[in-house]
Each structure stands twice: as C-alpha cells, then as structure tokens.
Amino acid sequence: MTSTIFSEIKEELNKGINEYGHPFRFFTLGTLSANNSPRLRTVVFRDFSENWNISFFTDKRSQKVIDIDKNNKVSSLFYHPEKRIQLHIEGTAHLVKNEKIINKHWNQTPEEAKKDYTTSLAPGSCIENQTEIEYLNEENHFCIITIEINTIEYLRLDKPNHAKIKYTKKGNEWKNDFLVP
Ligand SMILES: Cc1cc2nc3c(=O)[nH]c(=O)nc-3n(C[C@H](O)[C@H](O)[C@H](O)COP(=O)(O)O)c2cc1C
C-alpha cells in the first residue's frame, strides 16, 4: 500500500511541474531567519528531478536566500484540495552554481517574467509608491534553489481513517513509517 502511495506522491509532484492548474504548481516554503523567526512564502514549483530534488527560481537578494545561506534546512508544504492530500517536505536547500543550467532556465523565462529578477533595489526594500520601481537593463539577480529532500510526510484526510506516512530518504533508499494522523 505504501508503494502505491509513494508512486502517487511522485506522480502528483510531476504533475505539479507539467500540468497547468495543478495545485502542486505552487508550494509554501519555510525558512528560519538569523534571529530564529520562521518565515513562509509561496513559490512556483519549477523542477522535480529523478533523485527527488525540487527547485524554484528566485532573486538572489531575497530574504529566503539570505536565510538559506545561514541555515539551509527548509520546510515545504504542498496541498491538493480535491484529493485532500498534504505533503510536508523537509530538506536541505542549495543555490545552483552550474552556469549552464542557470542560463538554460534564464533563457527560457518569458521577457515579462524576467522583470521579477531585475529590480534595481533588492526585493523587500522600502519605496515611496508602487510606480517607483526601476529595473536593471543588463544585469539580473535570477537564481535557482534546489532542495534535496530528506523526509516527506504524507497526510490524506479520508474516511473511516486518515492516513499519515513519513518517508525518509537514506542515500538512494526510502524507508516509511506509519504515523498517527
Ligand atoms: C502565486 C505566487 C507565486 C510566487 N512565486 C514565487 C517564486 O517562484 N519565487 C519567488 O522568489 N517568489 C515568488 N513569489 C513571491 C513570494 O511569495 C515572496 O513574497 C517573495 O519571494 C519574497 O519572499 P522573501 O522576502 O521571504 O524572500 C510568489 C508569490 C505568489 C503569490
């Protein structure tokens, strides 16, 4: 049964990347700031690799990158309202350094979306009004963050029982534990 669920998790994560409108297209990312305050935000789920790494794009100057630089343990939350499935994924985040991969994704990014990574001021900087935003012409602050998954906690609300399973990655193997939902 857990292998069926595990396959379902993989399938739904793949759909999050490939299917327009799939609820896993977005996930909530949690980091811990230097002063130990937890911070959450929505990001677009961009890539899911064969070895279970998940990736998103962001601005190198953003708070989440500052947080990850100090503490790369992150939490991610995915929710599928129709299937009533929640995935709580924990892992270790890394800034992708491979220029070829970065350039490939940057070149595939639509021009309008590139603006998200080219504001003159860093994201979160105070401005006088919303029309004051200036963009860089030549430079960008685009980066890719990859999360190496350590654990996936699967929860499905169901009748007569809810189901909760924790999958832990050890090398290339996964072990599973049933949990009280
Ligand atoms: C639907 C939606 C999708 C978003 N996708 C991203 C994303 O892929 N990458 C990103 O850096 N910010 C994304 N954001 C903005 C973040 O939620 C967040 O406000 C921003 O990145 C600043 O976060 P930080 O200051 O904690 O780093 C998205 C926001 C929304 C509402």
Side-chain angles (χ1 to χ4, degrees), residues 153-165:
E153 224 175 78
Y154 165 96
L155 172 69
R156 182 167 41 84
L157 298 186
D158 208 353
K159 285 182 184 144
N161 296 315
H162 305 323
K164 193 173 199 175
I165 304 171

Side-chain angles (χ1 to χ4, degrees), residues 72-85:
N72 65 0
K73 301 264 179 293
V74 298
S75 246
S76 315
L77 198 68
F78 294 75
Y79 177 55
H80 194 309
E82 277 162 32
K83 295 194 160 204
R84 308 223 287 172
I85 290 173

Side-chain angles (χ1 to χ4, degrees), residues 5 30 57 72 75 87 128 132 138 143 153 161 167 173:
I5 293 175
F57 301 160
N72 65 0
S75 246
L87 299 181
E128 288 295 319
E132 204 189 286
E138 305 297 331
C143 73
E153 224 175 78
N161 296 315
Y167 295 91
E173 303 294 317

Side-chain angles (χ1 to χ4, degrees), residues 28-169:
T28 305
L29 173 80
T31 56
L32 205 57
S33 297
N35 64 0
N36 276 339
S37 310
R39 187 172 165 96
L40 305 173
R41 74 287 279 164
T42 309
V43 291
V44 179
F45 182 25
R46 299 286 183 178
D47 195 41
F48 177 50
S49 73
E50 270 304 308
N51 54 347
W52 292 78
N53 291 346
I54 60 178
S55 304
F56 63 92
F57 301 160
T58 192
D59 187 307
K60 262 184 221 122
R61 303 164 296 177
S62 63
Q63 187 60 46
K64 66 184 90 47
V65 177
I66 296 168
D67 291 353
I68 288 167
D69 190 46
K70 290 262 180 313
N71 179 350
N72 65 0
K73 301 264 179 293
V74 298
S75 246
S76 315
L77 198 68
F78 294 75
Y79 177 55
H80 194 309
E82 277 162 32
K83 295 194 160 204
R84 308 223 287 172
I85 290 173
Q86 171 182 275
L87 299 181
H88 171 209
I89 296 182
E90 293 203 337
T92 313
H94 305 276
L95 199 69
V96 171
K97 296 274 168 57
N98 185 320
E99 290 290 331
K100 253 194 187 162
I101 296 175
I102 298 167
N103 289 337
K104 185 187 104 186
H105 287 290
W106 175 251
N107 293 332
Q108 287 172 353
T109 302
E111 286 307 313
E112 190 55 28
K114 282 183 174 170
K115 285 175 75 180
D116 294 347
Y117 314 97
T118 60
T119 53
S120 302
L121 296 173
S125 305
C126 281
I127 47 176
E128 288 295 319
N129 60 66
Q130 292 294 346
T131 55
E132 204 189 286
I133 305 165
E134 285 175 14
Y135 296 91
L136 304 162
N137 290 322
E138 305 297 331
E139 227 184 312
N140 71 74
H141 294 275
F142 175 78
C143 73
I144 305 170
I145 303 280
T146 291
I147 302 169
E148 269 178 50
I149 300 180
N150 299 324
T151 60
I152 301 176
E153 224 175 78
Y154 165 96
L155 172 69
R156 182 167 41 84
L157 298 186
D158 208 353
K159 285 182 184 144
N161 296 315
H162 305 323
K164 193 173 199 175
I165 304 171
K166 183 173 181 175
Y167 295 91
T168 307
K169 196 166 185 248

